[in-house]
Structures are given as C-alpha cells and as structure tokens.
Amino acid sequence: MDLRKRIFFDIYRRYRHNQARLHPLTYLFWECTLRCNLNCMHCGSDCSKEMQVPEMPLEDFLAVLDLIRPHVDPPNTTVVLTGGEPTLRKDLCEAGRQFSQRGFPWGMVSNGFALNENLFSRLMKSGLRSLTISLDGLQENHDRFRGCQGSFERALKAILLGSAAEGLTFDVATCVYQRNLNELPSLRDLLIDAGLKRWRIFVVFPKGRAKDNPELSLDDTQFRAVYDFIAETRNSGKIRVNSGCEGFLGDYELQARDYPFFCRAGINIGSVLADGSISACPSLRADYIQGNIYRDDFWEVWENRFQIMRDRSWTRSGKCAKCKVYKWCEGNGLHLRDENTGALLQCHYERLMRPESSKSV
C-alpha cells in the first residue's frame, strides 16, 4: 500500500473516531414488517411468508420520530423502510406521507416484486426520495436465488421505473455468489441499458440461511475477482458502482468504492426492528439490541448506549489482535462477527491479500 493511502487512512481514522464520539443519527431504519413475498436463499433477517410477529402499528413508529425530532435535523435524517418486504404493508403510502409531513426524507429497500407502476407513482407522491432494488443475476439465477419464478422480470420492471424517476436517489444491490459471478459483465450491460446510474455489489456473508449453504460462498480467487470486476467497471466510467460497506479492502480501497471502509452501525445508523427492538444496521440482529421502544426512550438509548459499536477495541482479538491494518479496519463490519462469541467470521483484507492469482470475471 503506497504512502499516500496510508496517510489518507490515518486521517480518515480520526474522522471515524470523531463520528463515534458525536454519533449523529443520520439514518433510521424501520423493519416495518417480517412478511415477505419471496423465499431468498441468503436471507439473514427473521422474515418469513407467514408473519411471526404482528406488524408494528404505524403510530408506534411515528411516536419514535416525534421523540427524536427535536434532537436531530430532520432533512438530514433519512428514514429507510426494510423488512421483510415493505411493499406488503397496506399503509405504506400513508407512512410515507407522515414521514414527509414531519420533515424526514424517506426511502425503502425492496425486492421489487410488488412494485408496479401504480404503487410506484403513489409512493413518489407520498415523498419517496430513495429506493434500492435487489437484482441478483440474470433471469434463471435471480429467480432461483430469490425462490420465485418471475421475480427477475418484476425486479427489472421496478428498476426501469426507478431509473427513469426524477428526484429519486436510486440504486440496485447485487449479492454475488458462485452461480452469478460469471454473469456480472452481462448484468452490468443490462443495468446500463436500463438507464441505471448507481450499482452496489455485495458478497454473500455467512449468516442466516447462507451460513450452511456452501453454494453461496466464494473461494479466495473468486472473491478477488469480484473486486477486480468492480474496479474495472469503475474505471470504465459507464456506471457508478461501489462495493458494500462490509470490510476493509486494503489496496482495493478507493478502487472498489468512493469512500474508505467505515461500519457506521450505532454511530450514524440506528434501527427499530419489527418487535420494537432498538438496534443499528438491520443486518445486526439479537446480539446487538440495545433496548426496546415499548419500554425505553429511543433517544436516551441512542445517546447513552451503543458503546459496543462506538468503541470497537473489543474486536482486537483472535486474528485481529496482531493485524497490521487493524487501526484502519477496527474489526471489520460487525455483521461479520459470530453472534455468540464475537469472533470474526470473514476478513476481506485477508482474503484479498492472500498470494493467489486473481482471475478476471
């Protein structure tokens, strides 16, 4: 790694620590339902087709927004709906109107299956400002990965709607695994033809249903090929592509994304889960819950808890204990740690820097 990058990462480290000290809440996720209309191979949430936890009444989440509103700058605090599948809520448009009336921009992460033109139009009128649609390969592999025939066509229609919309921050998220790795160039061309400007690429991580499915994991050569593809695509300038915020990438930092690695869970990102649990990034489940809106004041929790996320010194154990880049990584993304022991499940830097030949996609 060259000297300029090292200096830059040292400066960015100070920025990260300052953000942890100040912890301004800029993203609040609401897991608004556990119902889902698909059956994804990699699902890491607690969702299922049959609702196990009753949907939280909209009024209960609005009470959280009313509570935090005096303490934040609403135009700079984005509410993001996730699930489950948010489009299954019947009051979705009303929720959006209520967020907008309170001054909060809002967005949604969706599989796109139910996002037809009529619903999309109504959501835009209710103030939808950001949207992410998942597309995980070409037709056969996407449908297989999402457990539903026809899901590719539905997602692509949603992508065409989002790409053409004005005033919408829109991107597509793709999870890479063995079967869709070699489709990335064709998928890139498809998305460019659809008018997409922003694309995020993730590697499936070993939690949830993906934990015990070897088909979803990549070997080190394949893993590096993903980041080589991202870097190559960024250099082409035809579409703005970034890797996810999963881990420190070593020499691939700033080649595979616009910004250095920073796990903002509990620092800038909070969440209210379906049962009222207060956490951070929705990828973090029971092991990082800090309270519950039905017995705790959300703002008091945000201000005075979350120390496990704001002081990451506890992660300096195991393979991280003697790592030469730990000061820039500080233990990787928290969702890549074992729920019971805290041990690191996957190290991006280690996998990318192993002395193996990179293979082009």
Side-chain angles (χ1 to χ4, degrees):
M1 191 180 303
D2 65 40
L3 179 61
R4 287 179 298 177
K5 272 193 176 180
R6 290 174 178 271
I7 294 172
F8 179 74
F9 292 152
D10 283 339
I11 295 171
Y12 197 77
R13 178 173 178 260
R14 292 196 288 271
Y15 163 74
R16 286 201 324 267
H17 288 181
N18 190 53
Q19 284 291 293
R21 180 179 62 84
L22 298 172
H23 51 265
L25 180 63
T26 56
Y27 279 88
L28 179 60
F29 284 87
W30 180 28
E31 187 180 57
C32 64
T33 184
L34 290 183
R35 292 185 296 146
C36 191
N37 44 13
L38 301 183
N39 187 28
C40 304
M41 294 174 67
H42 70 310
C43 184
S45 72
D46 298 324
C47 64
S48 64
K49 288 189 177 180
E50 296 299 326
M51 185 167 49
Q52 302 297 317
V53 176
E55 283 183 349
M56 181 184 296
L58 173 59
E59 292 74 16
D60 294 358
F61 182 72
L62 293 177
V64 174
L65 292 187
D66 291 338
L67 179 69
I68 71 171
R69 194 164 180 265
H71 304 285
V72 301
D73 181 17
N76 291 309
T77 306
T78 301
V79 175
V80 182
L81 275 60
T82 185
E85 172 51 39
T87 56
L88 296 184
R89 279 196 72 111
K90 295 181 179 180
D91 60 356
L92 184 58
C93 293
E94 176 59 24
R97 283 190 288 270
Q98 292 291 337
F99 304 155
S100 298
Q101 288 174 10
R102 287 164 169 78
F104 292 92
W106 72 279
M108 182 174 67
V109 179
S110 172
N111 59 40
F113 191 81
L115 195 59
N116 56 36
E117 189 170 354
N118 178 266
L119 176 57
F120 182 76
S121 176
R122 290 189 289 121
L123 290 172
M124 289 294 292
K125 289 177 181 178
S126 70
L128 183 69
R129 291 295 172 263
S130 66
L131 176 65
T132 295
I133 298 293
S134 297
L135 191 69
D136 301 300
L138 301 180
Q139 185 167 359
E140 180 181 351
N141 281 326
H142 175 89
D143 286 356
R144 184 174 181 275
F145 189 69
R146 292 284 166 177
C148 179
Q149 189 172 1
S151 59
F152 173 85
E153 291 184 4
R154 297 281 194 97
L156 186 57
K157 288 179 180 178
I159 289 167
L160 291 170
L161 289 171
S163 296
E166 295 184 5
L168 181 70
T169 300
F170 176 65
D171 70 353
V172 165
T174 297
C175 288
V176 182
Y177 66 111
Q178 288 182 21
R179 290 178 65 100
N180 71 0
L181 174 62
N182 291 326
E183 293 183 345
L184 287 178
S186 296
L187 190 60
R188 173 183 59 199
D189 295 343
L190 176 72
L191 293 172
I192 291 172
D193 289 344
L196 184 72
K197 300 296 188 294
R198 297 180 180 89
W199 187 19
R200 276 183 296 151
I201 295 178
F202 299 81
V203 174
V204 175
F205 55 91
K207 277 195 174 182
R209 295 175 185 168
K211 183 178 181 181
D212 301 313
N213 189 340
E215 177 186 340
L216 301 184
S217 62
L218 303 175
D219 65 32
D220 288 348
T221 299
Q222 293 169 327
F223 194 82
R224 291 181 64 178
V226 173
Y227 294 93
D228 287 334
F229 170 80
I230 295 173
E232 172 200 335
T233 300
R234 286 169 60 85
N235 287 335
S236 74
K238 294 181 180 179
I239 188 170
R240 182 178 175 182
V241 59
N242 278 286
S243 68
C245 57
E246 300 151 312
F248 182 70
L249 305 178
D251 287 332
Y252 285 88
E253 290 288 347
L254 305 181
Q255 294 182 42
R257 57 182 166 221
D258 296 340
Y259 40 82
F261 168 66
F262 184 4
C263 177
R264 295 179 181 268
I267 296 173
N268 304 119
I269 298 173
S271 68
V272 176
L273 302 183
D275 64 353
S277 294
I278 299 170
S279 188
C281 169
S283 293
L284 305 180
R285 305 308 300 180
D287 43 333
Y288 292 100
I289 287 173
Q290 304 297 304
N292 191 290
I293 65 168
Y294 292 115
R295 64 172 183 268
D296 299 303
D297 180 308
F298 181 94
W299 192 250
E300 185 278 330
V301 172
W302 178 257
E303 284 291 278
N304 300 308
R305 304 187 197 179
F306 288 90
Q307 292 312 308
I308 192 174
M309 306 177 204
R310 295 169 187 167
D311 179 0
R312 310 260 174 118
S313 58
W314 62 271
T315 64
R316 193 157 200 168
S317 61
K319 65 175 61 178
C320 295
K322 297 181 180 180
C323 180
K324 63 182 180 181
V325 301
Y326 178 84
K327 64 178 181 179
W328 301 321
C329 174
E330 296 191 331
N332 224 313
L334 293 181
H335 65 286
L336 293 176
R337 292 192 164 267
D338 184 86
E339 297 174 359
N340 299 311
T341 67
L344 186 62
L345 298 173
Q346 178 171 280
C347 175
H348 284 55
Y349 177 79
E350 179 183 53
R351 299 193 70 184
L352 289 170
M353 297 303 118
R354 282 175 182 152
E356 297 182 3
S357 60
S358 177
K359 181 177 72 175
S360 299
V361 178

